[in-house]
Amino acid sequence: MNNSDSDHDSTTVSYSLEEDRVRDLDENMIDSPPPDGRHHEEPPPRYEDVIEGQEEEGGGEEHRELLQPEGMEEGVREEEEEIKVVVEEMPQAEDPIPSSDNATPQDTPTTRETSIEFPLTHFYELEGRTHTDQWSIPYKREESLGVCMLATIRMMKEGAGVAEADENCVKFLQRTMPSCFDKLLAHDAVFRWDESIMKGIREMTLILMELISVRLRYKPVPVYLLNMLSLVVRLTEEPFSPARTGLKNPIAVERVRAWLIENKVLSIAFGGNLHQAQYCDKVKSIVEFLGTDLSTDELNTIWDMQVDKNPAQVENIHNILAYAASRFSPQHMDTLFQLIQQSWEKASSDRYREKLLGLIGKIGKDDRTGKTASKILELLWGLAHLPQLSREMVELALDSHHSILIESFHTKDSDKRNYIGKCVEDIKKCQWVVSALLQLHRLAKGMFRSSYGHKDQQQIAELQKQYDLLRTVSGTMNKIHAKTVAACREKGEELTGNTIIDGRYTQEECINAHLELLHFLLQDGSLYLPFKRCNEVWDTLIANPDACASDRRLAFKWFDRSIGDLESDTQQSLFTKRVLRVEPVLLDMAGYHCIRSFFETINLAERKLRKLHSHQLVVDNPDLTGIDYLWKAALEVTDSIIADELISHILQITYNVLGPKLKKEPEKLHRRFIDECFTRLESLIEPVESLDPNLRVQCVERLLLLAQRYLTTVECHSNETLSSLRKRVSERLKVTLEQIQIGTTEKWLTHYNKLLHQLNLTEEHQIIVKTTSVGYSSSSLDTNTERLKIALRQERLLPGVIMANEKDIFTKLEQLCQSGEPRVIEAVRTLLSLIPINQKVLEALEVFVHPISTEGASEDTRLPPTPAAVLSDFYDASKVSPTQLLYNLEVLSGKLMPTNQITEVDSSQTFRRNFLEAEGLKVVLNILHSSNFPPETDVTVRQDCYAITLTLARVLLCPPPTSSDTEGGVEGVDKPHLPVGRQMSRNVEDEVARHTIETMTNDDFRTILSCLMRVCWSAGAGKLYLATGEGSDQLKSGLCSFTTSVVNSKDVSIAQESLELLVTCLKLRKNLLKIFYELSRVEEFVIDVLLGSSQPDLRNQMMESFFDLCLDARFYSVSYEDSEDQSNQPKRPCPSPSETPQHFFLHLLLNSTPTLLLWKLTPPSNSDLVLWGRCTEYFIFLSHLLKRLLVSEQESLSIDVHHMLKKELDWLSSVTIPPPPCPPVQTLLAGHLNLIRALMSCHGVDKSSYTDTLVPDLLDNFLFPASHLVSQSRDPEAKGILNIEPKCSDVAARVAAYDLLIELSTDCLANLKCVANRLIAMHHSCRPMNSKEWEFRPLTIGRSPCGYVGLKNAGATCYMNTVLQQLYMQPGIREAILGVERDEEDSSILPDVQCIFGHLLESNLQYYTPDLFWKNFRLEGQPVNVLEHQDASEFFSSLTDQIDETLKKRGHSKVFEERFGGQFLDQIICHGCEHRFEKQQGFTSLQLSVVQSKSLTESLQEFVRGDMLEGDNRYLCGECQEKRDTLKRTCIKTPPPTLVVHLKRFDYDWETNREIKFNNYFEFPKTLDLEPYTAEGITSREKGLGPSSPLIYNLTGIIVHQGQASAGHYYAFIKTKGKNTFMKATPSLHKATPTIPEEEEMETIQTHPLQEEEKEEEQWLKFNDTLVERFIIDEFTLETECFGGSVRSNSSDPVHTSHPESRVRHWNAYMLFYEAANEIKKTQDTRKEQDSPVTVVPTMSSEDNLSQLQELVTKGEKRGVFNDNIPLTIQRSQ
């Protein structure tokens, strides 16, 4: 037989030769001479002779029985005889077939067949003929295939494993023989072969069956044999075509079945690899083939195969039985059901019962006759009604029941109706209600979808007519609800949606089941629900006072969905009688949607609303039905989101969607809305006893919000175009459209067709409108006049104007503010900002624009109020309320602030001058210092009053530039920016303003200064309420320093404004500076704000303002001498040095008590650290005051520069500088360096005296210690330098040190030479050997920002790195490892691990290269290949075992066994006696499967579940000497301090002969309770005592594998505790230096921080070889990074449309580390040091490049530079 077109891989077999060519080729093969070219006359042995020879050897009986089994039919025997004759007539050949190496050509066939060695020559020949495109398979007994098969049979008979021991025999069995039979039996050319070939194939098949029967005598069953047996069975069941073969059946079906039964093939097959799907498919075909010939005993045996099998194998056995059940006889089915029933009763867990239910359902669905389905339906229905069944099992039973009824072709509609009737009966009985409802719903839906058209609705109508389903369902829901409420009352519980009603389902699920069924009947059955039924549902779920929120939500949703299924009369009655009577407090979002749907439906029916083609509603009649309820609901509903929806809906139907006819009368519409608002508002102004106060406040706030939203909606809404807004502005300003330009502070807006919301404008944007002037003709002026009249008429129609003209509107709003509610006040202020200004206030302020003239006025004439009266009536805080005062101040600011219009600027100048002349400034400032604000004043109102008062005072003192000031300027060019304080002092040119300040009495001036100081101090501390007179006693030192709350931005702005005003007043009255010096607590004020304020802007402004005051006061006498009119100005002598601000501030800064802590050597408390971190402005101010002082100035100011310089240098040399990050200490260091620089600039200082002291110290210790160490390392006699970290590690400190060096080198040649020479020596010289290297760049990158060191990957050593990092981070392990002294003769791996741990602890570099570890480590006694991927779990076990053994030999305890070691408890518990047998065994890691379970808890439960030994497998009790049912299990006896979990994701596929990885989804918690899996916990539960004390473990480490089994990458996640502060692990430093808090943490330090324990912060780190970084581990990242499984891709992405929708996550957790909670508590203190290994060294820039750092590290290790900080010597000799 040849195949010229056969594919080599046998994936697609084709036979394209012509039929006659095939026949000729086959005949030639039969008669072809042997390979040696000779013809043998000796005939081959007959088949009977072979059998006789086998009988002599003891193996013939089996073969004879195979050929002639008892009971074989006569026709089969005749067929066999015919085959024997054909075999005898076959051509003879004498081809020598050597069966072994010593065989000779003279061997007889008998000798060949009796040899037990495998015939290699025939095997090689067969391989050459089979595995090729032109294959040729021998089918004769004496040729290579037959010889190899017979030889294999003989080897198998010799005993188990004989054939498998021969390598060539194994190749023949697994590869060659399956390939041969696959071609002989299954190729397409089979049907074209003649009869003789078919007979030969039949003979080969019989020999194959004998081989299989012999091999099945011992286990395991090979998969390849089962595959071949399955092929034989399939072809036997579907025989060759009689037209081609001339035979009815080449091998009789009965004969094969008898052979299968006799050899117990099925029982043997079930003992094989049932966990493999392919294997089970083959077994399934055998079971199906046997069918009715399967005996009861074999069926029992198959069923018993489930014992001791895992869930996957049990599932596969059930699938096999379900598939084959269609061939079973009724007797077999009865037996199978009996077995299921017995297993159900004996089952100890619901999980197994669930599998049995699944089996029953599969049998029913796979039923092909219809006889079994009805029985299974009844069985499932009865099981589902068992009261002890769990909900999951009931649902599983009903799912199977439904699938059989709907999907099976043998079930009829009568069966479905029968079970629908049973469901209705259960519902009426109020038993098993939820399950019956769900099943009824599914069955009815299935019937509905089974056909099409009108008949479907008719079926639902027939069901309604037959069972009255609507009444039944609604009535049952009422009864069930009443029963549940009564049951809750008896228990004293409150009904909720989660209340369990029947032991299985919750209240919410029960109600939802009723409503969903009703909706289905109404919607799909075209039925209408009468009002009586609607009323019943409403009374049960909504109006019922006992109904819970869940009931109402479901009912509202249902009515919303079913409104179209109600008749119009029912809709109207339900809306008016029930919907509009719902209390608004009961509404949720579902209720709102329900009410809105009814509202629109009813008004559409009444033609008050109409719907356009775009489905948009239009209002034709404003008197909408139910609109009053919408107003009420909007005000009273609790949920603010629902209220916002209701308000938007009200605005829509009252204005936005009005019809064209209604919008023709806008004034009427606006008045209607405003009247509605204020009518409701009037009823809420005075408290009502029947109304809850909180509800009253809410209603007021909502009404004001409605008014605000209406104004903004009507006057300018976001769907208006920019062009429309431009047109309205032009009409308002009475100019043409071309003169208007609209823009923001950033750019001009030119896209006029865009909508406003498309411009992305926010509240922070300020809209600017610019007008351009053009010439007008007389006609254009007339046109503009007409436009002006039209614009005025349109303005009067705006709702804001109408609202402002309402009588007593402002009085009503003021009355609302009297309540003091912040929300109401804020709403009132917002509304006031949207409507025109109160005309009463504007008219009163007109007195400052047009002064009153009393000339010619009679006594009876009523004159306007005087300016003094206006100021008293409107701006006297004792006469008006705070809110009214704030409003009046805002109106006043509008009059004083100029706009871009020239006329308005000039008018404001006039108003300002008249206001000042009326002593308005004094009135304004009086608001600040008097105690006019009640204690209960709203905080926001108080802040705004102070802020606007300070702004007004600044405007009054410093008028804005007038039109003349701007002339001559270039448009678009900004003037130089000056600090606000300087602008104020320069701009105070107004005579009236200056006169106001200068004519104040000393007492008034002192009061003003004191008031401004209090405002600035209290606002800077965020406690503005202390600015009043009552709070003055609380203004003391430390107010700002110890403020724990965050200071509001408004308070900061107020503090800055008041400070500016204070300095401005001091500049105007420099002769009264002494008053400022003598103010009470002025020194405390300056120091507390300058040094203690948490706001850098405020500190900086105080520094700049007071320094500007010092500069200005130096020459203030000169400024008066240079004034224009010296005759009117009295001569003011220059103040003495002791009276100057410079003298005052210098001595204040140097001698104040709080500043003394800035000269401490170590911070004793965290409160000191707060001030250290905020001292920058203090030192800058002090440095500015001292810089470049002359000797005379030093004497006049009583400053001893040399003494101060000595004090600073002593501090600099003695202060303790902790390792970074330490921002407060670095800030303090920068301040002192700046102070030294200022002192060095003073006259009289000899800079050259510091050439040998300060200059080298700055370079070697403060800036470049590492470079200094490099330069010192070239000197062999130089002493070792231990510290290579610069003292100046912060940018500010380093800049200050550089500036100091520049100052020292200025005008001092010696210092300049010293700096230059040392820099050249440190940075610009290298050793000759390194200078010859090409691009030599050693590793200079410092530690990662998180402060930990990585490990280098040599190619494939990531598994080492992750395990080593995990071990290093375990508490106590690195201390124990590093604490072992070195043994010079130690050849173990311990010194290399010590070296790694030492570098991870002390290295300042990014990573360490553990090359010695790679070289010395042995895995299973062999050196590791660093380029070969290894298993991390195996490495963990090998490494810990090796180190523990080394420690044991040296007399130390086993570190890893103590940390990771636990004890298993193997238990054998006999049932029927009290005996149990237990044995303990140790473990260091818990190995769990990820295939059968989806979570860690499930896998642990499966691990401790155990197996029940029963039946034939019963255990012989050693005490009772009786066989008993026995539970055999393993649990945890002693849990370890750290639990290591190994997730078994790798396995070996023996069928494909390759390693595989399981990427299955497997979740694990961050907190694990190990108690349920311990021996104590299991025993406690078995005794009914419940759980014992929890055994909590917290997840601290994860090792992740990314990739496949053969190649991949490991990385780790590790949790550490403690702040991001890393210190050297030296005892002295830890004792001397406390933990330094971050800048953000300083703001929350309490007044006494030392009394509080510092909280620690947990963080996760990702260790990925050399890269170490922070990583956020939360629920989402834990799942995506570690759980594995698959993720659905974004199918909408057009770029990735070719990718599959579901992608496998090939990165998943492989090892887990859980630390016991009690161990965490024990090691909490030590972990602070462990997690803070070393200083984080910033990455060096190009300026600080250390080209010799690699050599430095190597030399440092050899010389012991790093060893002093480690408990032992960690390095080997290099």
mmCIF file of all heavy atoms in Angstrom, residues 281 451 1013 1165 1622:
data_model
loop_
_atom_site.group_PDB
_atom_site.id
_atom_site.type_symbol
_atom_site.label_atom_id
_atom_site.label_comp_id
_atom_site.label_asym_id
_atom_site.label_seq_id
_atom_site.Cartn_x
_atom_site.Cartn_y
_atom_site.Cartn_z
ATOM 1 N N ASP A 281 -12.616 11.247 26.508
ATOM 2 C CA ASP A 281 -13.352 11.094 25.253
ATOM 3 C C ASP A 281 -13.225 9.681 24.700
ATOM 4 O O ASP A 281 -14.192 9.121 24.157
ATOM 5 C CB ASP A 281 -12.840 12.101 24.231
ATOM 6 C CG ASP A 281 -13.212 13.528 24.599
ATOM 7 O OD1 ASP A 281 -14.179 13.690 25.369
ATOM 8 O OD2 ASP A 281 -12.539 14.455 24.124
ATOM 9 N N SER A 451 -42.604 29.842 19.479
ATOM 10 C CA SER A 451 -43.357 30.055 18.251
ATOM 11 C C SER A 451 -43.415 31.543 17.964
ATOM 12 O O SER A 451 -42.879 32.352 18.698
ATOM 13 C CB SER A 451 -44.773 29.473 18.390
ATOM 14 O OG SER A 451 -45.403 30.011 19.528
ATOM 15 N N MET A 1013 -2.512 94.126 63.178
ATOM 16 C CA MET A 1013 -1.647 93.059 63.669
ATOM 17 C C MET A 1013 -2.469 91.855 64.108
ATOM 18 O O MET A 1013 -2.136 90.705 63.796
ATOM 19 C CB MET A 1013 -0.786 93.565 64.818
ATOM 20 C CG MET A 1013 0.208 92.532 65.335
ATOM 21 S SD MET A 1013 1.052 93.053 66.837
ATOM 22 C CE MET A 1013 -0.273 92.874 68.045
ATOM 23 N N SER A 1165 12.566 67.610 69.805
ATOM 24 C CA SER A 1165 11.160 67.252 69.629
ATOM 25 C C SER A 1165 10.752 67.553 68.195
ATOM 26 O O SER A 1165 11.418 68.294 67.468
ATOM 27 C CB SER A 1165 10.264 68.040 70.601
ATOM 28 O OG SER A 1165 10.319 69.428 70.309
ATOM 29 N N PHE A 1622 15.253 56.849 55.552
ATOM 30 C CA PHE A 1622 16.240 55.795 55.541
ATOM 31 C C PHE A 1622 17.515 56.301 56.190
ATOM 32 O O PHE A 1622 18.039 57.342 55.814
ATOM 33 C CB PHE A 1622 16.509 55.348 54.104
ATOM 34 C CG PHE A 1622 15.247 54.957 53.403
ATOM 35 C CD1 PHE A 1622 14.612 55.848 52.569
ATOM 36 C CD2 PHE A 1622 14.683 53.729 53.631
ATOM 37 C CE1 PHE A 1622 13.441 55.502 51.947
ATOM 38 C CE2 PHE A 1622 13.510 53.376 53.009
ATOM 39 C CZ PHE A 1622 12.899 54.258 52.169
#
